[in-house]
């Protein structure tokens, strides 16, 4: 047995719980004498203790006893038992609750056993459940005991990984184990009687899952990127690759080793890099890294567990990309030692360096100070652009020596020149150049107001092509006010109009025009020039009076009018101004007076004590200080009005000041009142007319008519069914056929009878109350069945005598001689005939 107390095991002694076995100081366990082991296995507890500290440690040792062969002493042949099968074949019985009896017959309880861990291999193939161990108490001979286990894997998730037979105490594992899921389990074994009373103290059981090599190493990244400088020495660190194995790292199953499988390209050697098998560090192993030849290497790295054993271990690969970075180990070189160039406007040369990046940028210098160079960025060959302003008329050819060198010094150890030179011959070709104005911008000074056609200056251009016979022509390019003309051949500039300094085209007294000079070359070229004319002011503008309108009270000493003047000219052709009143008409100086305040301002006020309200035009003469001076007579409109105590015009006064007298105002008010009265009368007349139209009386007065009448209330009709009728029936018909052929009956008021016809049957001499009712009903039926009736209610006439009757006058007719006629029957005719009954009945009472 192996033991370590972390102090060197000094003085540690070993002992066992059996007198048949002893332990040497090196941990060797041996039999003290010859003995016969009756069972198939033997379990011992080995104790290590320190005499100084009295610390004790215990471990359990299990012996498996092999049976001797019954045939000639040979062991039976057969395959070697696997670890899982070995656990299944064991018939382990643990007695964690052992009791001992003393010599005097008294029993005393010994301390509980320390159960050694139970090891279970992962990924076991079964069959399941698979027995691990049997636990029993020596009290099971006296009472019935029930065994149980608790903890993670038993009654806690994951549930039922382990279970125990409650009667026999055999503990089983129910399914394959996975060490990467859970590496160990801690259970507690319990022993109780049939009533659930505790018989023994709980015992701790530790179950460890034995690792199997069932996981491949996994790289953290599938692609690793690293870099190394070109020319690096062997042993230079490049990068580190890392792979992890989920298996137990303390065993060979989780111990990963690295190696390089392939390298691409294999230049200049197939083994330019090596890798530390344990740490994964990649370093250079050979010299010769050159970025100009190989810029990148792709290395395949393999990681294998089982300490790199390719026969038993599991492997995985990853890719390492190694970039060779540039160092300044190559000086720039010209591609040619001499260069001949023909150019007209600029020139271009070429120099290159095999190094690129910040350290490989070459710096180009030239022995001729007339030229400078520009350097664009490029990934490989460096193109140098040399720009220069060359002139064929000055130099037709140039001989240059160009030198190029790196901006950064060469890397250490490079024995080469850091610069290169080349000769450049430049031949300049003559081209047509544009004419130019020697003085641009040209400024001239003159007074404004010069007459048209005045020669101002000659604005000529120069053609730089001295060796070409060319003519220059001039033209205007910009002349905002169109004041100038230019001679097309010699560039003489004259005025086309009078130049006015006060024009809007003048900025800060300067007028600017642009002219164009073009030659007749192939192709033609042109240049522009700007002429600036500074105009000197002259006194050509008379002053203007300000303000144009003002207001003043009709009595003096209340307020005054402040006046000033404005002049478009500038000093000295402006103020101080002179303000005065004209002598004609005389009323101006009689009514008004001017008081000078200073050179630019004066005051206008009333001279007299009172001036009638109104609007007055007051002329004022304003003279400036120019040489010669100019004057102007300006008229200011002054409104004179009554004022209040504050000196402000009243409302009536403002109206009066507008030019209207009291009589005019009264006349306007009377006109307004008359107009309003006429409008009111017209509205009243229209309302009365409308009322009369609605209250128009019927043809027969209801007070005098004893018969029923149908009154018209301007109703429109009965709806859509009454809309389809002939409107001509409402008018006087042109033909009378339909009237003449009409059956006798009742006629309407709106229908004029044509011929005489009886209106109703002849009533008997002695009337009867039913005759009137029948007569009315017959008339209603006739009216309802009349096809010519309009779609609205109308007045029906039940009796119409007509005109032009041939009968004589009935005024001579007298009543009967008896004079006794009874009209009482009228009372039987209803309330409608009550008025007649009152008039003719009851004669005896009268």
């Amino acid at each position: 047995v192996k033991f370590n107390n972390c102090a060197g095991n000094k003085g540690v002694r070993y002992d066992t719980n059996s007198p048949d076995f002893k332990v040497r100081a090196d941990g060797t366990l041996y039999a003290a004498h010859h003995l016969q082991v009756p069972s198939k296995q033997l379990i011992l507890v080995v104790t290590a203790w320190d005499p100084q500290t009295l610390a004790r440690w215990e471990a359990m040792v299990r012996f498996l006893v092999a049976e001797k062969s019954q045939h000639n002493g040979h062991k039976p042949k057969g395959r070697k038992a696997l670890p899982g099968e070995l656990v299944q074949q064991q018939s382990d019985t643990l007695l964690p609750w052992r009791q001992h009896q003393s010599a005097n017959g008294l029993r005393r309880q010994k301390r509980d056993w320390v159960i050694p861990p139970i090891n279970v291999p992962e990924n076991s193939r079964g069959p399941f459940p698979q027995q691990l161990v049997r636990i029993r108490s020596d009290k099971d001979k006296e009472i019935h005991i029930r065994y149980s286990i608790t903890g993670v894997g038993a009654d806690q998730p994951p549930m039922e990984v382990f279970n125990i037979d409650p009667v026999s105490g055999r503990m089983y594992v129910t399914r394959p184990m996975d060490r990467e899921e859970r590496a160990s389990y801690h259970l507690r074994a319990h022993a109780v009687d049939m009533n659930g009373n505790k018989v023994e103290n709980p015992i701790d059981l530790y179950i460890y899952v034995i690792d199997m090599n069932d996981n491949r190493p996994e790289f953290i990244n599938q692609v690793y990127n690293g870099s190394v400088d070109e020319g690096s020495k062997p042993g230079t660190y490049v990068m580190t690759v890392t792979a992890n194995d989920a298996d137990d790292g303390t065993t060979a199953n989780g111990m990963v080793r690295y190696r390089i499988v392939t390298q691409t390209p294999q230049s200049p050697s197939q083994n330019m890099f090596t890798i530390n098998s344990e740490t994964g560090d990649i370093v250079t192993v050979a010299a010769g890294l050159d970025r100009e030849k190989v810029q990148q290497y792709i290395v395949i790295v393999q990681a294998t567990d089982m300490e790199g054993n390719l026969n038993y271990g599991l492997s995985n690969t990853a890719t390492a990309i190694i970039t060779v970075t540039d160092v300044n180990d190559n000086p720039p070189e010209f591609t040619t030692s001499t260069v001949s160039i023909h150019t007209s406007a600029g020139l271009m040369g070429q120099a290159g360096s095999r190094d690129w990046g910040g350290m490989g940028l070459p710096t180009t210098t030239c022995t001729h100070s007339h030229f400078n160079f520009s350097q664009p960025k490029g990934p490989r060959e460096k193109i140098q652009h040399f720009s220069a302003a060359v002139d064929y008329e000055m130099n037709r050819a140039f001989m240059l020596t160009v030198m190029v060198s790196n901006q950064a010094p060469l890397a250490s150890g490079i024995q080469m020149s850091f610069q290169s030179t080349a000769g450049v011959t430049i031949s300049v070709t003559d081209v047509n150049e544009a004419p130019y104005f020697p003085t641009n911008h040209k400024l001239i000074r003159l007074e404004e107001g010069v007459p048209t056609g005045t020669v101002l200056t000659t604005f000529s251009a120069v053609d730089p092509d001295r060796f070409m016979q060319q003519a220059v022509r001039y033209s205007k390019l910009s002349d905002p006010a169109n004041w100038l003309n230019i001679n097309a051949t010699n560039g003489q500039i004259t005025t086309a109009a009078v130049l006015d300094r006060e024009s809007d085209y003048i900025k800060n007294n300067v007028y600017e025009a642009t002219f164009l000079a073009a030659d007749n070359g192939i192709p033609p070229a042109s240049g522009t020039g700007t002429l600036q004319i500074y105009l000197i002011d002259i006194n050509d503008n008379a002053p203007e009076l300000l303000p144009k309108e003002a207001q003043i009270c009709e009595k003096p000493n209340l307020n005054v009018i402040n006046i000033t003047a404005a002049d478009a000219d500038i000093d000295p052709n402006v103020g101080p101004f002179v303000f005065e009143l004209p002598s004609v008409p005389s009323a101006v100086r009689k009514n008004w007076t001017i008081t000078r305040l200073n050179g630019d301002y004066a005051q206008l006020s009333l001279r007299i004590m009172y001036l009638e309200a109104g609007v007055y035009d007051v002329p004022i003469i304003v003279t400036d200080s120019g040489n010669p001076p100019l004057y102007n007579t300006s008229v200011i409109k002054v409104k004179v009005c009554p004022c209040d105590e504050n000196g402000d015009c009243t409302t009536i006064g403002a109206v009066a000041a507008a030019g209207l007298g009291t009589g005019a105002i009264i006349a306007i008010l009377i006109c307004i009142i008359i107009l309003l009265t006429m409008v009111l009368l017209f509205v009243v007349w229209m309302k009365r007319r409308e009322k009369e139209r609605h209250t128009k009386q019927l043809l027969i007065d209801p007070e005098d008519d004893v018969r029923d009448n149908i009154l018209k209330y301007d109703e429109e009709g009965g709806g859509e069914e009454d809309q389809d009728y002939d409107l001509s029936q409402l008018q006087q018909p042109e033909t009378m056929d339909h009237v003449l052929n009409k059956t006798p009956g009742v006629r309407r008021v709106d229908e004029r009878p044509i011929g005489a016809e009886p209106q109703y049957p002849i009533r008997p001499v002695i009337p009867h109350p039913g005759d009137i009712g029948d007569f009315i009903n017959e008339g209603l039926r006739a009216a309802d069945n009349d096809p010519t009736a309009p779609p609205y209610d109308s007045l029906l006439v039940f009796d119409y005598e007509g005109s032009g009757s041939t009968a004589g006058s009935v005024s001579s007719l007298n009543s009967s001689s008896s004079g006794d006629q009874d009209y009482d029957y009228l009372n039987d005719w209803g309330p409608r005939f009550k008025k007649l009954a009152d008039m003719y009945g009851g004669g005896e009472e009268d």
Side-chain angles (χ1 to χ4, degrees):
V1 293
K2 294 181 180 180
F3 174 75
N4 184 10
N5 67 345
C6 303
N9 296 344
K10 295 182 178 180
V12 175
R13 300 180 182 181
Y14 299 97
D15 195 4
T16 66
N17 63 340
S18 174
D20 298 331
F21 297 91
K22 295 183 179 181
V23 184
R24 297 190 180 96
D26 59 355
T28 303
L29 184 65
Y30 63 97
H33 53 84
H34 180 78
L35 72 158
Q36 182 71 26
V37 180
S39 62
K40 295 183 178 180
Q41 67 176 357
L42 178 64
I43 299 176
L44 300 179
V45 176
V46 180
T47 303
W49 60 282
D50 190 346
Q52 297 180 358
T53 61
L54 300 179
R56 301 178 66 87
W57 299 270
E58 293 181 347
M60 185 186 68
V61 178
R62 179 185 298 112
F63 291 97
L64 300 181
V65 181
E67 296 181 0
K68 294 185 179 180
S69 177
Q70 301 296 331
H71 306 280
N72 301 326
H74 295 287
K75 295 181 180 180
K77 297 181 179 179
R79 63 182 180 90
K80 184 178 181 181
L82 296 177
E85 298 173 350
L86 183 61
V87 175
Q88 184 178 0
Q89 294 171 3
Q90 295 174 359
S91 180
D92 297 340
T93 301
L94 301 181
L95 299 174
W97 300 289
R98 295 186 60 186
Q99 294 181 352
H100 299 270
Q101 186 172 1
S102 62
N104 57 8
L106 296 178
R107 304 181 65 183
R108 60 184 181 90
Q109 181 71 32
K110 293 288 186 179
R111 65 180 181 84
D112 296 337
W113 281 23
V114 178
I115 305 302
I118 302 172
N119 296 324
V120 180
E122 66 172 334
N123 303 326
S124 175
R125 297 183 179 180
F128 296 99
Q130 187 179 69
Q131 181 177 339
L132 297 180
V133 70
R134 180 184 179 188
I135 301 174
R136 60 177 293 270
S137 172
D138 53 4
K139 293 182 180 180
D140 59 356
K141 297 178 181 180
E142 302 174 1
I143 60 176
H144 294 286
I145 296 178
R146 292 293 181 264
Y147 302 96
S148 63
I149 55 175
T150 59
V152 176
D155 60 345
Q156 299 178 19
M159 307 287 288
E160 298 182 355
V161 177
F162 304 96
N163 59 28
I164 188 171
D165 189 324
V167 177
S168 64
R170 292 185 177 88
M171 190 172 70
Y172 301 90
V173 60
T174 62
R175 61 188 181 191
M177 310 296 289
D178 187 359
R179 192 202 66 84
E180 288 72 37
E181 180 180 348
R182 190 176 185 88
S184 64
Y185 296 86
H186 177 202
L187 304 178
R188 304 201 75 183
H190 304 271
V192 297
D193 58 14
M194 299 301 292
N195 296 324
N197 299 319
K198 182 174 68 174
V199 177
E200 303 286 358
N201 292 328
I203 296 300
D204 292 326
L205 299 178
Y206 294 93
I207 302 174
Y208 294 102
V209 183
I210 301 175
D211 182 46
M212 305 292 288
N213 189 21
D214 56 347
N215 291 279
R216 292 180 180 274
E218 295 292 339
F219 282 94
I220 298 177
N221 300 312
Q222 285 299 313
V223 178
Y224 291 84
N225 291 282
S227 61
V228 62
D229 292 338
E230 63 175 332
S232 297
K233 297 180 180 180
T236 302
Y237 172 79
V238 179
M239 68 171 71
T240 299
V241 297
T242 304
N244 297 324
D245 196 318
D247 292 326
D248 189 0
T250 61
T251 65
N253 297 334
M255 295 181 180
V256 180
R257 299 295 181 264
Y258 304 93
R259 73 185 188 95
I260 293 178
V261 180
T262 60
Q263 168 195 307
T264 305
Q266 298 181 359
S267 173
S269 172
Q270 63 181 357
N271 295 319
M272 294 297 296
F273 305 94
T274 186
I275 188 170
N276 188 306
S277 62
E278 295 184 0
T279 62
D281 295 339
I282 299 177
V283 297
T284 59
V285 72
L289 291 174
D290 190 352
R291 187 204 61 82
E292 287 71 36
K293 295 180 179 179
V294 179
Q295 299 181 7
Q296 190 179 82
Y297 290 91
I298 298 177
V299 177
I300 305 300
V301 179
Q302 183 183 59
T304 307
D305 57 15
M306 297 300 291
E307 296 182 299
N309 191 323
L310 298 178
N311 295 326
Y312 303 103
L314 302 177
S315 302
N316 212 338
T317 60
T319 302
I321 300 176
I322 303 174
T323 302
V324 182
T325 56
D326 183 44
V327 298
N328 193 16
D329 58 346
N330 293 283
E333 297 178 0
F334 280 102
T335 56
T336 56
S337 59
T338 59
V339 180
S340 297
I341 300 174
H342 294 270
T343 184
S344 56
L347 53 99
M348 180 178 65
Q350 176 176 320
S353 172
R354 290 186 296 168
D355 296 322
W356 62 280
M359 293 179 293
L361 291 176
T363 300
T364 309
T365 58
C366 178
T367 57
H368 200 291
S369 60
H370 189 69
F371 300 94
N372 53 48
F373 306 93
S374 64
Q375 177 176 302
K377 297 179 180 180
R380 186 67 181 174
E381 296 294 329
K382 295 300 178 181
I383 305 298
Q384 307 302 321
H385 295 274
F386 312 131
S387 59
V390 294
D391 190 356
Y392 177 81
E393 286 72 24
M394 299 296 295
N395 295 292
R396 300 187 181 183
F398 295 91
M399 299 295 296
L400 305 177
T401 300
V402 181
M403 180 178 63
V404 62
S405 60
N406 278 134
Q407 294 181 358
L410 294 177
S412 60
I414 305 301
Q415 302 296 328
M416 299 178 64
S417 176
F418 66 93
Q419 62 185 13
S420 177
T421 59
V424 180
T425 302
I426 303 173
S427 299
V428 183
T429 303
D430 191 15
V431 296
N432 184 27
E433 299 176 77
Y436 66 94
F437 291 87
T439 304
N440 194 18
H441 301 22
K442 184 175 182 180
L443 178 65
I444 61 175
R445 299 171 63 91
L446 72 156
E447 289 185 349
E448 64 172 330
V450 294
T452 302
T454 302
V455 178
L456 301 182
T457 185
T458 299
F459 197 26
S460 59
V462 177
D463 192 346
D465 299 317
R466 294 178 296 171
F467 302 101
M468 295 182 183
Q469 300 299 325
Q470 298 179 147
V472 178
R473 305 281 297 180
Y474 300 93
S475 61
K476 285 195 303 181
L477 188 62
S478 173
D479 184 10
N482 201 23
W483 284 346
L484 305 176
N485 289 326
I486 187 170
N487 190 296
T489 57
N490 57 14
Q492 188 180 68
I493 296 177
T494 57
T495 59
V498 177
L499 279 66
D500 186 7
R501 191 200 64 82
E502 291 75 30
S503 172
D504 294 336
Y505 299 103
I506 302 298
K507 305 297 181 184
N508 298 325
N509 301 329
V510 176
Y511 180 74
E512 191 172 280
T514 306
F515 299 93
L516 182 70
D519 60 19
N520 57 351
I522 301 175
S526 61
T528 59
T530 301
L531 177 65
Q532 294 179 333
I533 303 174
Y534 185 88
L535 295 177
I536 302 173
D537 183 46
I538 62 175
N539 192 19
D540 57 347
N541 293 278
E544 294 288 337
L545 183 68
L546 294 176
K548 299 296 183 181
E549 296 181 356
Q551 184 175 281
I552 194 172
C553 295
E554 59 186 2
K555 295 181 180 180
N557 299 327
L558 291 178
N559 55 6
V560 295
I561 300 173
N562 293 323
I563 58 176
T564 185
D567 197 326
D569 295 323
I570 60 176
D571 286 336
N573 298 319
V574 287
F577 300 101
V578 177
F579 302 91
E580 56 183 347
L581 296 173
S583 57
V584 178
S586 59
V588 176
R589 291 191 174 184
K590 178 181 177 181
N591 297 334
W592 305 91
T593 181
I594 291 180
T595 303
R596 180 185 178 89
L597 297 179
N598 53 36
D600 295 329
Y601 291 91
Q603 287 183 344
L604 176 66
S605 59
L606 287 174
R607 178 186 293 274
I608 60 179
M609 297 303 297
Y610 174 79
L611 184 62
E612 184 180 358
V615 179
Y616 297 87
D617 292 337
V618 181
I620 298 176
I621 301 174
V622 184
T623 306
D624 61 18
S625 299
N627 188 18
L630 295 180
Y631 68 92
N632 182 30
T633 301
S634 300
V635 177
I636 178 173
K637 289 184 177 295
V638 181
K639 294 181 181 180
V640 180
C641 60
C643 298
D644 54 16
E645 62 275 6
N646 297 325
D648 298 328
C649 282
T650 61
T651 304
I652 299 177
V655 175
L660 297 178
T662 304
I665 295 174
I666 295 174
I668 292 174
L669 294 176
I670 293 174
C671 292
I672 293 174
I673 293 173
I674 293 173
L675 181 60
L676 294 176
T677 304
M678 293 177 63
V679 172
L680 181 61
L681 291 175
F682 179 76
V683 172
V684 172
W685 178 77
M686 290 296 295
K687 289 185 174 293
R688 181 178 294 275
R689 182 180 177 184
E690 183 70 16
K691 184 177 181 181
E692 290 178 355
R693 187 173 65 86
H694 285 290
T695 60
K696 186 177 181 181
Q697 293 185 354
L698 299 174
L699 295 179
I700 299 177
D701 191 359
E703 296 293 335
D704 299 331
D705 191 5
V706 297
R707 297 167 296 178
D708 288 344
N709 296 298
I710 298 177
L711 301 180
K712 178 183 177 183
Y713 293 96
D714 289 339
E715 295 181 357
E716 294 183 355
E720 295 182 356
E721 296 180 356
D722 294 337
Q723 298 299 318
D724 189 10
Y725 57 86
D726 187 6
L727 294 178
S728 64
Q729 301 297 330
L730 303 180
Q731 302 175 357
Q732 180 66 34
E734 295 180 0
T735 61
M736 302 294 123
D737 295 340
H738 69 286
V739 178
L740 295 176
N741 297 330
K742 184 177 179 182
T743 59
V746 182
R747 295 190 178 277
R748 300 183 304 275
V749 171
D750 56 354
E751 180 182 353
R752 181 178 180 182
I754 301 302
E757 57 183 18
Q759 299 298 314
Y760 43 82
I762 299 175
R763 292 176 291 181
V765 177
I766 299 175
H768 188 272
D771 293 344
I772 299 299
D774 295 339
F775 179 76
I776 293 175
N777 292 331
E778 183 180 352
L780 289 176
R781 284 194 300 270
D784 292 339
N785 297 325
D786 187 2
T788 62
Y792 53 85
D793 295 337
S794 60
L795 179 64
L796 298 180
V797 180
F798 294 95
D799 193 7
Y800 184 75
E801 294 183 356
S803 61
S805 177
T806 56
S809 175
V810 295
S811 59
S812 59
L813 296 178
N814 294 322
S815 59
S816 61
S817 59
S818 62
D820 296 331
Q821 186 174 355
D822 188 8
Y823 293 99
D824 293 336
Y825 62 88
L826 294 176
N827 294 322
D828 299 333
W829 288 4
R832 297 183 180 180
F833 295 92
K834 185 177 184 302
K835 187 174 183 180
L836 288 176
D838 294 339
M839 292 174 60
Y840 293 97
E844 295 178 355
E845 295 179 0
D846 295 338

